[in-house]
Amino acid sequence: MNANQIISDEMTLEEKLAAIDKAMAAAQALADEDAKSKGTISAPIDPASLTICDGCE
């Protein structure tokens, strides 16, 4: 997730927090849908997982 795509310096703190909440909800919905298609259940997404590159995990 690229933070520059969801927040900007011109946004207020409330707008930034709302944008982050919206992005997290979308990521969780995508994880839920992926898990459902595989017949499993997804766990809540750890926000830290969205701030590190896949190669570094």
Side-chain angles (χ1 to χ4, degrees), residues 6-53:
I6 60 170
I7 60 174
S8 69
D9 291 335
E10 291 79 30
M11 298 171 91
T12 65
L13 177 59
E14 291 78 19
E15 290 171 330
K16 289 177 182 178
L17 293 173
I20 292 168
D21 285 342
K22 183 178 176 182
M24 289 295 299
Q28 185 66 57
L30 184 61
D32 291 343
E33 186 63 33
D34 185 48
K36 185 177 179 181
S37 71
K38 295 177 182 176
T40 61
I41 299 172
S42 67
I45 292 177
D46 179 4
S49 297
L50 301 175
T51 63
I52 190 168
C53 71

